[in-house]
Amino acid sequence: MLHYTFIDITAMTDIESIRLFCLSLPHTSEDMAFGEDYLLFRVCDRIFACYGFARDNYFTLKCDPVYAIELRERYPEIQPAWHWNKKYWNQLDLSGRRFNWQVQN
Protein backbone atom coordinates (compact mmCIF):
# COMPACT_ATOMS: atom_id res chain seq x y z
CA MET A 1 0.00 0.00 0.00
CA LEU A 2 1.32 3.45 -0.90
CA HIS A 3 1.49 6.14 1.73
CA TYR A 4 1.96 9.81 0.98
CA THR A 5 3.20 12.67 3.10
CA PHE A 6 2.62 16.32 2.36
CA ILE A 7 5.68 18.45 2.89
CA ASP A 8 5.80 22.20 3.16
CA ILE A 9 8.59 23.39 0.89
CA THR A 10 8.30 27.04 1.89
CA ALA A 11 11.43 26.70 4.01
CA MET A 12 13.30 24.64 1.40
CA THR A 13 15.14 27.39 -0.41
CA ASP A 14 18.74 26.17 -0.24
CA ILE A 15 20.70 22.95 -0.18
CA GLU A 16 21.03 22.82 3.59
CA SER A 17 17.29 23.12 4.26
CA ILE A 18 16.57 20.53 1.53
CA ARG A 19 19.22 18.23 2.95
CA LEU A 20 17.94 18.53 6.52
CA PHE A 21 14.39 17.78 5.42
CA CYS A 22 15.30 14.78 3.26
CA LEU A 23 17.53 13.26 5.93
CA SER A 24 14.73 13.62 8.49
CA LEU A 25 12.66 11.06 6.54
CA PRO A 26 12.92 7.46 7.81
CA HIS A 27 15.60 5.21 6.28
CA THR A 28 17.04 8.05 4.19
CA SER A 29 20.67 8.26 3.13
CA GLU A 30 22.62 10.59 0.89
CA ASP A 31 25.47 10.06 -1.55
CA MET A 32 27.12 11.55 -4.61
CA ALA A 33 27.05 8.51 -6.89
CA PHE A 34 26.79 10.73 -10.01
CA GLY A 35 29.82 12.82 -9.04
CA GLU A 36 30.45 15.95 -7.01
CA ASP A 37 27.81 17.97 -8.88
CA TYR A 38 24.81 15.96 -7.63
CA LEU A 39 23.59 15.11 -4.15
CA LEU A 40 21.24 12.12 -4.16
CA PHE A 41 18.78 11.18 -1.45
CA ARG A 42 17.70 7.56 -1.13
CA VAL A 43 15.21 5.53 0.86
CA CYS A 44 16.27 1.92 1.21
CA ASP A 45 18.87 2.47 -1.56
CA ARG A 46 16.31 3.86 -4.05
CA ILE A 47 16.76 7.46 -5.22
CA PHE A 48 13.80 9.73 -4.46
CA ALA A 49 15.40 13.15 -4.82
CA CYS A 50 18.37 14.86 -6.43
CA TYR A 51 19.92 18.27 -5.93
CA GLY A 52 22.26 19.51 -8.67
CA PHE A 53 24.81 22.08 -7.56
CA ALA A 54 25.23 23.38 -11.13
CA ARG A 55 21.48 24.16 -11.32
CA ASP A 56 20.93 25.08 -7.69
CA ASN A 57 17.54 26.70 -8.22
CA TYR A 58 16.05 23.30 -9.12
CA PHE A 59 15.31 20.28 -6.97
CA THR A 60 14.32 16.96 -8.59
CA LEU A 61 11.81 14.61 -6.94
CA LYS A 62 10.35 11.25 -7.89
CA CYS A 63 6.58 11.16 -8.12
CA ASP A 64 3.63 8.93 -8.90
CA PRO A 65 3.18 9.19 -12.72
CA VAL A 66 -0.43 10.41 -12.62
CA TYR A 67 0.26 12.86 -9.80
CA ALA A 68 3.39 14.10 -11.62
CA ILE A 69 1.30 15.23 -14.60
CA GLU A 70 -1.33 16.74 -12.32
CA LEU A 71 1.32 18.83 -10.54
CA ARG A 72 2.83 20.04 -13.83
CA GLU A 73 -0.57 21.17 -15.05
CA ARG A 74 -1.35 22.96 -11.80
CA TYR A 75 1.98 24.70 -11.04
CA PRO A 76 4.25 26.39 -13.60
CA GLU A 77 7.21 25.90 -11.19
CA ILE A 78 6.96 22.13 -11.64
CA GLN A 79 8.25 20.72 -14.91
CA PRO A 80 9.39 17.36 -16.24
CA ALA A 81 12.85 16.77 -14.81
CA TRP A 82 15.80 17.41 -17.07
CA HIS A 83 17.81 14.19 -17.75
CA TRP A 84 15.41 12.00 -15.74
CA ASN A 85 12.55 9.73 -16.79
CA LYS A 86 9.83 12.33 -17.25
CA LYS A 87 7.10 9.82 -16.44
CA TYR A 88 8.22 9.69 -12.79
CA TRP A 89 10.47 12.68 -12.15
CA ASN A 90 9.58 16.35 -11.70
CA GLN A 91 11.89 19.28 -11.16
CA LEU A 92 10.80 22.02 -8.84
CA ASP A 93 11.91 25.59 -9.46
CA LEU A 94 12.96 26.77 -5.99
CA SER A 95 12.81 30.41 -7.03
CA GLY A 96 9.07 30.19 -7.75
CA ARG A 97 5.91 30.15 -5.67
CA ARG A 98 5.77 28.03 -2.51
CA PHE A 99 3.29 25.22 -1.93
CA ASN A 100 2.99 21.78 -0.37
CA TRP A 101 4.56 18.76 -2.08
CA GLN A 102 3.37 15.19 -1.66
CA VAL A 103 6.07 12.57 -1.10
CA GLN A 104 5.51 8.82 -1.17
CA ASN A 105 6.69 7.04 1.98
Side-chain angles (χ1 to χ4, degrees):
M1 178 178 208
L2 298 176
H3 299 279
Y4 293 92
T5 302
F6 284 96
I7 60 173
D8 180 4
I9 64 158
T10 54
M12 293 175 34
T13 58
D14 60 30
I15 181 55
E16 196 53 36
S17 57
I18 290 170
R19 186 176 171 271
L20 289 174
F21 171 77
C22 288
L23 292 176
S24 74
L25 298 172
H27 310 290
T28 299
S29 62
E30 65 181 340
D31 63 64
M32 298 180 105
F34 297 160
E36 294 179 4
D37 291 337
Y38 299 96
L39 181 60
L40 305 175
F41 297 96
R42 300 173 188 258
V43 171
C44 300
D45 293 327
R46 299 195 61 150
I47 299 170
F48 73 91
C50 175
Y51 182 83
F53 293 101
R55 298 183 63 187
D56 62 356
N57 58 325
Y58 288 98
F59 181 48
T60 304
L61 292 162
K62 192 168 188 180
C63 193
D64 172 81
V66 174
Y67 190 56
I69 293 169
E70 204 176 296
L71 288 170
R72 293 173 199 160
E73 291 172 351
R74 190 178 310 160
Y75 303 104
E77 296 83 6
I78 298 176
Q79 305 153 1
W82 182 68
H83 276 303
W84 294 82
N85 183 334
K86 285 145 183 53
K87 179 177 179 181
Y88 299 101
W89 290 87
N90 280 345
Q91 68 183 18
L92 171 64
D93 182 349
L94 297 174
S95 62
R97 171 176 51 163
R98 302 293 180 228
F99 48 87
N100 289 334
W101 185 268
Q102 189 177 32
V103 174
Q104 180 180 327
N105 289 337

